[in-house]
Amino acid sequence: MPALYFTENEYKSRLFATKQEMQRSGFDTLILSDPANIFYLTGFDAWSFYAPLFIVVSCDLDEPIWIGRFQDAVSARDTTYLKEENICAYPDHYVQSSTCHPAEPASHILRERGLDRGVIAVEMGAYYYTARIHAEFVRYNPNARFADGELLVNRVRLIKSDAEQAYMRQAGRIADAAIAAAIDRCAPGVRECDVVAGIYKTQISGTPEYGGVYTTSPPHFCAGERVRTPHGLWTDQPLQNNSALNIEIAGSRLHYHCPISRTVYLGLPPDSYIRLADAVVEGLNTTMDHIKPGMTAEEVELVWRRSIAKHGFEKEARLGYSIGIGFPPTWGERTASLRPGDKTVLQPGMAFHCMSGLWLDSTGIAITQSFLVTKEGNEPLTQYDRSLAAKT
Amino acid sequence: MPALYFTENEYKSRLFATKQEMQRSGFDTLILSDPANIFYLTGFDAWSFYAPLFIVVSCDLDEPIWIGRFQDAVSARDTTYLKEENICAYPDHYVQSSTCHPAEPASHILRERGLDRGVIAVEMGAYYYTARIHAEFVRYNPNARFADGELLVNRVRLIKSDAEQAYMRQAGRIADAAIAAAIDRCAPGVRECDVVAGIYKTQISGTPEYGGVYTTSPPHFCAGERVRTPHGLWTDQPLQNNSALNIEIAGSRLHYHCPISRTVYLGLPPDSYIRLADAVVEGLNTTMDHIKPGMTAEEVELVWRRSIAKHGFEKEARLGYSIGIGFPPTWGERTASLRPGDKTVLQPGMAFHCMSGLWLDSTGIAITQSFLVTKEGNEPLTQYDRSLAAKT
């Protein structure tokens, strides 16, 4: 029996919503290669996307068709609700070959099922839909017209079901535990890698009730000079006194992510740094006070923008992004962004990471908050104190 | 001062070898998007490839040009030897936008430097070179002819320098420590996630002399029914007595990977399982005894194939693959594979993971060995005992 994380009915309603969007867009067939979309529609959960991996959704078929490397087909049987006839594997010699490509057997399956004509939509900009895959699909399906269906399923994912929201709250508890483990461990003389080791341990051990799984990205752990960088890597050098460090991590419960960032100051922070922290925390708190359904994504950003402007700051990078299911390399859903121009209307069940951080010429700070949009306003997904963590 | 992992001379010789291959292939310009190739040629080391990230190599220019998201440019300054003029950032509104694409400012840079004509090679099948990126590059560079330069740099990477070999040995020590931590922790009643948490902790803490960094893939931890799957995910359920589990992990020292897999049996293994383990270990040992420079990749596989055939087994999947620098989603270099048809001649300085595992209908086993090819033969990169780890 496969171990499904949701009821079959929930998967059915996701598929139904996807087909509705396909019909609205005039797509007959949709080939998905984003691992998060594959997971969302079928439950498929194994590390298989290093080789071409697809599901094919047809408006005319009851179930998606899984197409992947032969030795990973057993994972499709273990983790999805799909019938055996809809689990299609290609032989191993197609893997990383210079002479043949998995799009060939995949196109053969399309032809067999009568899906090689009409409009085939693909995810043009999805991470694992390479230029080569597309060229091969076009070559092997001369009777089809290709269209861009990128983000179609990502948009269906924007509003989380009750069951999804429950997983996101659990991810939040894991994130809280992991950031606490990190900050507790930080001290002058401790190697950066040893603090990060403790983060990983807590992310995966999770809580006594449930464990965590891998996050899409490693901890961003930026100490010393790297405090100016948002996505830097830890070193194996000891932490220094009188320095700031930024930590950005997430908890992941069955691939549902809840990110959190905090800045730690080792030693007594200088006044200038305290003022910086005050501006960011005030901006975050003010923003959180305002967030409610009916606002647009850009209106949320404007609240933050005005608040930090009072202190003389400006942030070029977007303030945040929609979160939910994540597979490497990002826990962002790649749909709504909290930034000027984004007219997405916030609705109950959406989730965001408010990335209230500033990276300046010589320093950086990040004190952030993930949240669900609720009927009344918003629900923070982590409880960790919103402040600069000074360790004196 | 940037923190380079290698001497500038070593980076220069890598670039020289790349340009030689470009000239041999008739490429004027090479746009790279594989993070491992970017790291190899410039040292760039930050989590930036979730947004389009490129380096551009021209036969006429002294240095590659880095092109990435504006807020990650500071990481290019921190981790590469590139001159400021060769670090080019695009503004934040290009990130995950539905109305514009980073290939536009990237193409503007090509034009400015006179690189928008002649033959531009791209990495058609590299993970982060999406169909959308390619379509945009083609659109914005009407005067260029595009060619496929995938794996050109990967092939240059095949033979490791002395400095690279030193990092791979260190990765091996981390891998040994992590597999030992895992096997020590395995016992009936222990939650799978808690064993995995210990693996992560050791992978990152590394040794007292040096720490580890993230590996390209999470541990493949396949217990219970999932022992049949090569790339399954752990659960938060307790391990059961009288069952097998497979663990595949790597140590990563500054992105140089050394993988290792072991099978653990909780309780007294049945005779059938001991025979399976004996066949695999004998196959692995026999193969390792034979490996030396001058053999082809397929000849290595044949030694294994003949050995396990004596016990009535056959493995469809390839026996192994070249290793070195790895970024998600795979630690394989995607060049040489130990499988029929691969004529790559083994040379001193190449490194492979001999993936001596078998996945059968109802069970699986994996006892593997990473190694360097040396002048005389080969050098195992891990020392952990090659046997079934029975825990009674």
Side-chain angles (χ1 to χ4, degrees):
Chain A
M1 284 291 294
L4 299 179
Y5 304 153
F6 298 93
T7 63
E8 288 211 35
N9 269 343
E10 179 148 353
Y11 288 110
K12 273 186 190 149
S13 70
R14 295 173 180 184
L15 189 62
F16 181 75
T18 301
K19 288 181 178 179
Q20 276 193 316
E21 290 302 316
M22 287 171 63
Q23 280 167 340
R24 202 164 292 160
S25 305
F27 301 157
D28 299 296
T29 300
L30 176 61
I31 301 178
L32 297 166
S33 34
D34 180 334
N37 292 336
I38 292 172
F39 174 79
Y40 181 71
L41 289 180
T42 67
F44 181 72
D45 192 10
W47 191 267
S48 305
F49 47 89
Y50 63 92
L53 171 71
F54 312 104
I55 63 168
V56 180
V57 178
S58 158
C59 290
D60 298 331
L61 296 179
D62 280 348
E63 287 187 357
I65 304 165
W66 181 98
I67 302 173
R69 185 181 180 183
F70 98 99
Q71 66 173 10
D72 291 332
V74 60
S75 292
R77 288 178 201 112
D78 278 2
T79 63
T80 76
Y81 59 84
L82 299 175
K83 294 190 202 84
E84 184 61 29
E85 71 205 50
N86 291 322
I87 297 174
C88 302
Y90 57 80
D92 204 67
H93 66 267
Y94 285 99
V95 176
Q96 296 175 8
S97 163
S98 55
T99 55
C100 57
H101 193 277
E104 183 199 331
S107 299
H108 184 73
I109 293 160
L110 293 179
R111 210 158 40 244
E112 269 181 357
R113 315 252 171 147
L115 306 177
D116 62 329
R117 51 207 69 223
V119 177
I120 299 180
V122 295
E123 299 184 292
M124 287 293 285
Y127 293 111
Y128 302 105
Y129 192 70
T130 67
R132 170 91 191 270
I133 293 174
H134 187 60
E136 299 283 352
F137 268 131
V138 168
R139 176 157 82 105
Y140 285 112
N141 293 277
N143 299 319
R145 273 182 302 136
F146 281 83
D148 189 3
E150 193 189 351
L151 302 182
L152 183 147
V153 177
N154 304 56
R155 279 189 290 264
V156 172
R157 284 161 44 198
L158 263 171
I159 296 182
K160 276 75 188 167
S161 70
D162 289 348
E164 289 182 292
Q165 291 181 37
Y167 285 143
M168 295 208 60
R169 287 187 194 98
Q170 294 176 346
R173 277 193 60 200
I174 296 173
D176 271 331
I179 200 77
I183 294 175
D184 288 352
R185 190 77 194 268
C186 284
V190 176
R191 295 190 308 172
E192 294 178 26
C193 61
D194 291 327
V195 180
V196 176
I199 295 172
Y200 272 112
K201 180 171 184 282
T202 311
Q203 282 175 320
I204 305 302
S205 270
T207 75
E209 294 80 31
Y210 43 81
V213 302
Y214 59 87
T215 59
T216 64
S217 322
H220 303 314
F221 190 95
C222 305
E225 290 226 325
R226 292 198 179 169
V227 75
R228 298 170 295 134
T229 72
H231 302 119
L233 181 67
W234 63 89
T235 72
D236 46 19
Q237 293 305 300
L239 292 168
Q240 303 292 322
N241 208 1
N242 298 315
S243 71
L245 74 114
N246 291 320
I247 306 171
E248 179 178 3
I249 59 171
S252 173
R253 170 67 171 147
L254 300 173
H255 308 294
Y256 284 84
H257 279 66
C258 176
I260 186 170
S261 301
R262 284 295 180 274
T263 297
V264 183
Y265 202 95
L266 297 178
L268 198 68
D271 282 349
S272 61
Y273 213 84
I274 291 175
R275 282 196 301 273
L276 181 62
D278 286 348
V280 168
V281 171
E282 184 184 306
L284 172 58
N285 287 338
T286 305
T287 307
M288 292 301 297
D289 286 347
H290 279 77
I291 292 169
K292 59 180 183 192
M295 283 178 90
T296 62
E298 68 173 358
E299 283 167 355
V300 173
E301 199 269 352
L302 188 61
V303 176
W304 154 264
R305 179 175 294 272
R306 285 185 175 150
S307 176
I308 60 168
K310 281 192 252 167
H311 300 269
F313 294 112
E314 192 189 339
K315 188 190 190 202
E316 180 180 343
R318 61 184 175 170
L319 175 63
Y321 44 81
S322 173
I323 52 172
I325 301 166
F327 281 81
T330 181
W331 52 60
E333 287 188 315
R334 302 195 299 123
T335 47
S337 288
L338 305 177
R339 67 176 160 193
D342 193 315
K343 312 284 187 196
T344 307
V345 177
L346 269 56
Q347 297 176 60
M350 289 184 180
F352 290 88
H353 182 209
C354 180
M355 217 310 147
S356 32
L358 290 174
W359 285 269
L360 310 175
D361 284 345
S362 62
T363 192
I365 189 166
I367 299 167
T368 73
Q369 182 67 56
S370 291
F371 63 89
L372 280 169
V373 181
T374 61
K375 278 186 190 159
E376 313 296 330
N378 69 77
E379 174 190 334
L381 283 166
T382 58
Q383 309 304 321
Y384 202 87
D385 187 43
R386 288 182 207 150
S387 64
L388 176 66
K391 296 200 68 173
T392 48
Chain B
M1 282 294 292
L4 299 179
Y5 304 154
F6 298 92
T7 63
E8 288 211 32
N9 269 343
E10 180 148 352
Y11 288 111
K12 273 185 192 151
S13 69
R14 296 172 180 184
L15 189 63
F16 181 75
T18 300
K19 287 181 178 180
Q20 277 193 315
E21 289 303 315
M22 286 171 63
Q23 280 168 338
R24 202 164 292 160
S25 305
F27 301 157
D28 299 296
T29 300
L30 175 63
I31 301 178
L32 297 166
S33 34
D34 180 333
N37 292 337
I38 292 172
F39 173 80
Y40 181 71
L41 288 180
T42 68
F44 181 73
D45 192 10
W47 191 267
S48 304
F49 49 88
Y50 64 90
L53 171 71
F54 312 105
I55 63 168
V56 180
V57 178
S58 158
C59 289
D60 298 330
L61 296 179
D62 280 347
E63 288 188 354
I65 305 164
W66 181 98
I67 302 173
R69 185 181 180 184
F70 96 99
Q71 65 172 10
D72 291 331
V74 60
S75 293
R77 289 180 199 110
D78 278 3
T79 63
T80 76
Y81 59 86
L82 299 175
K83 293 191 204 81
E84 184 62 28
E85 70 205 52
N86 292 322
I87 298 174
C88 302
Y90 57 79
D92 204 68
H93 66 268
Y94 285 99
V95 176
Q96 296 175 8
S97 163
S98 54
T99 56
C100 58
H101 193 278
E104 184 199 333
S107 300
H108 184 71
I109 293 159
L110 293 179
R111 207 157 43 244
E112 269 180 356
R113 314 252 169 148
L115 306 178
D116 63 329
R117 53 206 68 224
V119 177
I120 299 180
V122 295
E123 299 183 291
M124 287 293 286
Y127 293 112
Y128 302 105
Y129 192 71
T130 67
R132 172 88 190 274
I133 292 174
H134 187 60
E136 300 282 352
F137 268 129
V138 169
R139 178 156 82 103
Y140 284 112
N141 293 279
N143 298 320
R145 274 182 301 135
F146 281 84
D148 189 3
E150 193 190 351
L151 302 181
L152 182 146
V153 178
N154 304 56
R155 279 189 291 263
V156 172
R157 285 162 42 201
L158 263 171
I159 296 182
K160 275 76 188 166
S161 69
D162 289 347
E164 289 183 291
Q165 291 181 36
Y167 286 144
M168 296 208 60
R169 288 187 194 100
Q170 294 177 344
R173 276 194 60 198
I174 296 172
D176 271 331
I179 200 76
I183 294 174
D184 288 352
R185 189 75 194 269
C186 284
V190 176
R191 295 190 308 173
E192 294 178 25
C193 60
D194 291 327
V195 180
V196 176
I199 294 172
Y200 271 112
K201 180 170 183 285
T202 311
Q203 282 175 320
I204 305 303
S205 269
T207 74
E209 294 79 33
Y210 43 81
V213 302
Y214 59 86
T215 58
T216 64
S217 322
H220 303 314
F221 190 94
C222 305
E225 290 226 326
R226 291 196 181 172
V227 76
R228 296 170 296 134
T229 73
H231 302 119
L233 181 67
W234 63 88
T235 73
D236 46 19
Q237 295 304 301
L239 291 168
Q240 303 291 321
N241 207 2
N242 299 317
S243 70
L245 75 112
N246 290 321
I247 305 172
E248 181 178 3
I249 60 173
S252 172
R253 170 67 171 148
L254 299 174
H255 308 295
Y256 284 84
H257 279 66
C258 176
I260 186 171
S261 301
R262 285 295 180 275
T263 297
V264 183
Y265 201 96
L266 297 178
L268 198 67
D271 282 349
S272 61
Y273 211 83
I274 291 175
R275 281 197 300 274
L276 182 62
D278 286 347
V280 168
V281 171
E282 184 183 307
L284 172 58
N285 288 338
T286 306
T287 307
M288 292 301 297
D289 286 346
H290 280 77
I291 292 169
K292 60 179 182 196
M295 284 178 87
T296 62
E298 68 175 357
E299 283 168 354
V300 173
E301 200 268 351
L302 188 62
V303 176
W304 154 263
R305 180 175 294 274
R306 285 185 175 150
S307 175
I308 61 169
K310 283 193 251 166
H311 300 269
F313 295 113
E314 193 189 337
K315 187 188 190 202
E316 181 180 340
R318 60 184 175 170
L319 174 63
Y321 44 81
S322 173
I323 51 173
I325 302 167
F327 281 82
T330 181
W331 52 60
E333 286 188 315
R334 303 197 297 121
T335 45
S337 288
L338 306 176
R339 66 176 160 193
D342 194 316
K343 313 282 187 197
T344 308
V345 177
L346 269 55
Q347 296 174 63
M350 290 185 178
F352 290 88
H353 182 209
C354 180
M355 218 311 149
S356 33
L358 289 174
W359 286 269
L360 310 175
D361 285 345
S362 62
T363 192
I365 189 164
I367 298 166
T368 73
Q369 182 67 57
S370 292
F371 63 90
L372 280 168
V373 180
T374 61
K375 279 184 192 164
E376 314 296 330
N378 69 78
E379 174 190 334
L381 284 166
T382 58
Q383 309 305 323
Y384 203 86
D385 187 42
R386 289 181 206 152
S387 65
L388 176 67
K391 295 201 67 169
T392 48

